[in-house]
Amino acid sequence: MSGQFDFITLIALIVAVAAIIKLRSVLGHRTDDDEQRVERLRARQREASQRAGADGTSGDVITLPRRDRDTAPATPAVEATTADVESRIKAYPVTDPSITTGLLDIAKVDPAFDPEEFLGGAGRAYELIVSAFAEGNRRMLKDLLSKDVFEGFSSAIAEREARGETLDQQFVGIKKAEITETDVKNGIASITVRFNSELISATRDKAGEVISGDAQKIKDVTDIWTFSRDISSAKARSNPNWRLVATQAPN
């Protein structure tokens, strides 16, 4: 009986192991792409939580990262910080010296400004805006865009909805983002960024059939967007949020 029991137990174990291997082959394994998508989702959730808890700003406004300025330093520390900011901005790689001049003009008014941190925040804003437009999420767009740009985006969404079409889109990622223009005029700082990104995009009709684009193909997209922020006063600078104020097609 003991030998028969051991044999049956062995057979059961073999069957169980085979079932586990089969189940793993059916379910598959998490890929690097899956990990990246999950991480992007978590990042969005963290950003949404931070925006919801911000004082004096809308819960959906993108805040481009800035350095902490809660404590007012003594005069020598301010001078050291200003020198450090200027040194860092002069070392920041640009394609046109006029860009450095514009960045320095911004930093003179707002020493907390950092071009690398700005560009990182602009990239996150870009992804959110592109995704919100595809989803027809006017509420998020309204908090991220200037009035004029919002009206243009909203009109395009309305036309798409009137035709009964949907935009099936997946944001793959930004391949490159670079500052191409800077300006400070009447206390308003403006920075133009050129984004080279990858998207999977397809427009579907009422029946769900693809009428343009390709739901299986990644395409390269270039967008040139300008973000602005009021830095004219201490009160204005206390609001770190930038908004998209202009878009243009690449030459």
Side-chain angles (χ1 to χ4, degrees), residues 6-238:
D6 290 342
F7 179 76
I8 293 174
T9 301
L10 179 61
I11 293 296
L13 288 173
I14 293 174
V15 172
V17 171
I20 292 172
I21 294 175
K22 180 64 176 176
L23 181 61
R24 287 176 61 85
S25 67
V26 172
L27 295 178
H29 303 279
R30 174 171 286 187
T31 65
D32 291 340
D33 288 341
D34 292 330
E35 294 286 357
Q36 293 172 5
R37 291 190 180 95
V38 169
E39 182 57 32
R40 284 202 297 270
L41 177 59
R42 289 173 178 171
R44 289 181 185 177
Q45 292 172 338
R46 288 195 298 268
E47 290 170 357
S49 177
Q50 291 171 359
R51 290 195 301 271
D55 292 332
T57 60
S58 170
D60 289 323
V61 176
I62 272 290
T63 299
L64 274 63
R66 306 174 69 208
R67 295 182 179 277
D68 186 9
R69 60 160 88 209
D70 290 339
T71 302
T75 301
V78 171
E79 293 176 354
T81 300
T82 300
D84 178 66
V85 169
E86 290 183 357
S87 176
R88 185 171 61 253
I89 289 179
K90 289 179 180 178
Y92 183 75
V94 297
T95 56
D96 186 337
S98 65
I99 297 175
T100 299
T101 301
L103 294 175
L104 287 171
D105 288 342
I106 296 173
K108 288 177 183 177
V109 181
D110 182 8
F113 173 75
D114 182 278
E116 290 187 0
E117 292 182 353
F118 165 84
L119 199 58
R124 292 191 290 276
Y126 175 80
E127 179 176 354
L128 283 175
I129 292 170
V130 168
S131 300
F133 174 74
E135 298 165 1
N137 188 340
R138 291 178 175 84
R139 179 180 178 182
M140 178 172 288
L141 290 173
K142 188 173 183 179
D143 288 326
L144 298 171
L145 315 179
S146 68
K147 181 179 179 181
D148 291 342
V149 175
F150 172 74
E151 288 176 353
F153 275 55
S154 182
S155 177
I157 292 172
E159 292 174 2
R160 187 174 71 207
E161 292 172 342
R163 294 190 299 267
E165 299 171 355
T166 57
L167 184 56
D168 184 4
Q169 182 171 280
Q170 179 182 353
F171 187 90
V172 179
I174 297 174
K175 296 171 64 176
K176 183 180 181 180
E178 61 177 339
I179 296 174
T180 60
E181 189 175 347
T182 55
D183 184 42
V184 180
K185 185 178 296 184
N186 298 324
I188 304 298
S190 298
I191 301 179
T192 300
V193 181
R194 182 186 182 96
F195 295 101
N196 296 113
S197 63
E198 292 182 321
L199 299 175
I200 300 174
S201 181
T203 301
R204 300 180 183 274
D205 60 17
K206 294 179 180 179
E209 297 296 326
V210 175
I211 56 177
S212 67
D214 191 330
Q216 304 298 324
K217 183 179 180 180
I218 296 176
K219 68 175 183 178
D220 293 328
V221 178
T222 299
D223 288 301
I224 301 174
W225 287 8
T226 300
F227 299 88
S228 287
R229 173 173 164 257
D230 187 351
I231 59 172
S232 61
S233 65
K235 181 178 180 181
R237 291 191 294 273
S238 67

Side-chain angles (χ1 to χ4, degrees), residues 234-245:
K235 181 178 180 181
R237 291 191 294 273
S238 67
N239 180 354
N241 301 305
W242 296 71
R243 288 178 184 266
L244 176 64
V245 297

